[in-house]
């Protein structure tokens, strides 16, 4: 997801420390943008859940540079979200103990909520979870 | 934490009712785990988790509920959920947990089961 | 306000297009962080108002690179916010017509709400409105 | 817009009551301006703006209220505010607008003034 003044439409970004309290901030970020784009309330709830799972997984995989990085962009009639993941294995889990069932659930839930959900390599090599809603 | 997760266990016959409020995620799930754990350590075997005041719940919360269900069952009891909002019903249904954990509309219904 | 992994405590950043709908997103960003830091509800309301005024002023002054840039950081027991301003005069106002009374009110209100409010030059030359709460 | 700003003018004797909801900022203030402007164009001279449902209001909203107050006064009428929440009372007080625009606790009080 590139963009901004010189590369396509303006994009949205949120950065916080990679810590559990700010997962709520990321949910609010997603919900706020979704409201601006007039997405239905049910879809907003799905986005909050997918965002929460993607952020929990970012924490569990160690994230990148100690930051939780979330981006969003409008593409046509869709609102696309991206959450930067770490390269740590879920089993390692950093400081935050993540039970293996929960770890598996993160991606499963995101995929169940959004058909186009994918885990891709971002421009700088970091793994990114991407999903979109309309 | 985002929203204060107010949790207040109370007795109803052979059931312990735990009222939960706020948003349950990776940040706040440990609080829920502690409250349910304390109830179980205190002798509760049948626990009704009242989710009426819960605005959000993700897999971190589901993990706590499943873990507590297991502990209740091991003690010969049960764990039930009361009045989850629509988005929470959805996540329970997506994960198939609605087939594993009984869901009731009211505390009365749950505790007279 | 510098920081991050290599320069002090982790910081918070929000970037959106420089457009009125996303002022609400900036307010919720401020409110969400303030809640995580356990600031009192009255202070959270003051922060929302100051943030809204600083963002409205960013829009009125043309902002920077078409983006609304908000940062926050914890410094000791205070939560510090910064909102990047444009170099445009308020009278010009870009596309968004800003009545002159309102324009004057932005800074006046922020100053009335937060004693330490200031308008300073940021590291890259951009003007920044800064205020903090505890 | 953030919250749908539902606005519904209704008549109360010589007063027109406008119920406002949601958040009023640079983005949504133009909607409030349009509704109050339409009411004034439609012949309203005494307008009671019911802010009970308003969760947020900044200087953009104040600008609209002041502008509309001016137009009402020019027409020989008045503009009054009803039931602003505490944070909005505070911004009205900081700016001294509470000395310029009458504030009432109820619509009844405003429209019987
Ligand atoms: N991906 C995006 N993210 C955020 N804002 C966008 C995005 N794309 C467009 N916008 C904003 O929405 C407004 C309208 O967008 P655009 O699609 O270019 O025109 P229109 O919706 O009128 O066809 C513009 O002001 C633009 O800044
Ligand atoms: N400016 C800041 N912004 C966001 N989070 C911070 C900031 N400073 C510290 N933290 C986070 O808060 C936690 C505790 O911060 P710190 O002040 O270093 O320790 P303590 O509060 O235990 O004295 C750390 O995990 C750190 O990442």
């Amino acid at each position: 997801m590139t963009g901004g003044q010189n590369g396509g439409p303006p994009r949205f970004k949120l950065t916080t420390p990679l810590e559990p309290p700010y997962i709520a901030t990321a949910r609010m970020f997603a919900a706020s943008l979704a409201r601006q784009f007039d997405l239905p309330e049910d879809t907003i709830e799905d986005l909050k859940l997918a965002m929460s799972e993607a952020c929990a997984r970012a924490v569990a995989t160690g994230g990148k540079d100690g930051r939780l990085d979330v981006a969003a962009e409008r593409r046509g009639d869709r609102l696309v979200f991206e959450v930067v993941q770490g390269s740590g294995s879920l089993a390692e889990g950093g400081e935050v103990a993540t039970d293996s069932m929960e770890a598996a659930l993160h991606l499963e839930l995101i995929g169940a909520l959004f058909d186009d959900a994918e885990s891709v390599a971002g421009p700088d090599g970091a793994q990114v979870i991407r999903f979109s809603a309309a | 934490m985002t929203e204060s997760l107010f949790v207040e266990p109370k007795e109803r016959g052979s059931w312990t009712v735990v009222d939960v409020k706020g948003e349950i995620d990776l940040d706040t799930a440990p609080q829920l785990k502690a409250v349910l754990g304390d109830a179980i350590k205190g002798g509760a075997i049948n626990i009704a988790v009242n989710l009426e005041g819960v605005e959000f719940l993700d897999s971190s919360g589901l993990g706590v509920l499943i873990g507590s269900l297991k502990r209740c069952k091991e003690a010969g009891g049960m764990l039930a959920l009361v009045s989850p909002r629509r988005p929470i019903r959805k996540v329970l249904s997506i994960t198939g947990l609605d087939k594993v954990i009984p869901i009731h509309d009211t505390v009365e219904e749950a505790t007279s089961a």
Side-chain angles (χ1 to χ4, degrees), chain A residues 45-53 109 113, chain B residues 56-58 91:
Chain A
E45 289 299 329
D46 290 350
L47 281 171
K48 282 168 62 182
L49 181 53
M51 180 58 70
S52 205
E53 299 297 335
L109 274 174
L113 295 166
Chain B
F56 179 82
L57 184 139
D58 69 6
V91 65

Side-chain angles (χ1 to χ4, degrees), chain B residues 41-54:
Chain B
K41 271 180 229 142
I45 48 170
N46 295 307
I47 299 186
V49 182
N50 185 0
L51 297 175
E52 198 180 340
V54 174

Side-chain angles (χ1 to χ4, degrees), chain B residues 1-7 18 20-21 23-38 64:
Chain B
M1 66 190 134
T2 327
E3 301 280 325
S4 64
L5 189 76
F6 182 73
V7 185
V18 177
V20 191
K21 283 181 186 145
E23 309 192 353
I24 304 174
D25 64 5
L26 187 63
D27 185 41
T28 56
Q31 293 173 58
L32 179 60
K33 188 172 182 173
V35 172
L36 295 180
D38 285 350
V64 171

